Amino acid sequence: MAEDSWDQEATQVVEALNLLTVLAAPRLYERWCTQALAEELRTVLQSRMETLAAFCEKAWGSPDAERFRAAAPKIRALAESLAAAPTGHLMDPGWNAQARECLDALGVQAPPGGWESFEGLCASGE
């Protein structure tokens, strides 16, 4: 049972990191926002950021643990900002900046050309 819980948390952390990247890149985020109802998407975003913040807060045992713990307040602030948004609200320009700050705190560098022009990673072999 504990392994299932760990697997589920790991999956949600990976999803949260992917969503941070999407949120940091306005073009990707705009496309992502068309995939479902706004409230459903906001709930997923907020939930994944909460999961990532909790994961980072309890990080230990690796060279990156201190960096993750230091990033946790930024991620938690983004989750709170998402939770406080009006129902059905998905577009807040401040969220792009917050996502970028979170990624930077986690050690993820901006892609070549910056987040404004980033449209996702190419499939391997391209």
Side-chain angles (χ1 to χ4, degrees):
M1 188 86 155
E3 190 172 319
D4 289 343
S5 177
W6 166 249
D7 288 345
Q8 183 178 15
E9 181 183 31
T11 298
Q12 289 180 350
V13 166
V14 169
E15 288 174 6
L17 290 169
N18 287 336
L19 284 174
L20 264 179
T21 302
V22 168
L23 188 53
R27 292 177 187 181
L28 285 178
Y29 187 60
E30 188 175 331
R31 284 195 305 257
W32 185 80
C33 288
T34 65
Q35 294 182 10
L37 296 173
E39 191 57 26
E40 291 175 19
L41 293 173
R42 188 175 65 101
T43 298
V44 168
L45 260 177
Q46 192 270 331
S47 164
R48 293 305 182 266
M49 292 310 114
E50 285 288 339
T51 299
L52 182 58
F55 175 82
C56 288
E57 288 166 351
K58 64 183 181 185
W60 64 275
S62 80
D64 297 317
E66 188 174 322
R67 182 168 20 115
F68 288 171
R69 286 191 307 271
K74 291 179 189 287
I75 299 165
R76 175 104 24 228
L78 175 57
E80 290 169 0
S81 180
L82 290 161
T87 302
H89 183 77
L90 270 176
M91 299 303 259
D92 185 315
W95 294 344
N96 295 119
Q98 281 184 282
R100 292 171 189 181
E101 289 174 9
C102 293
L103 288 166
D104 187 54
L106 289 167
V108 177
Q109 296 180 349
W115 291 113
E116 292 297 323
S117 61
F118 184 64
E119 293 197 32
L121 299 173
C122 296
S124 61
E126 286 182 27

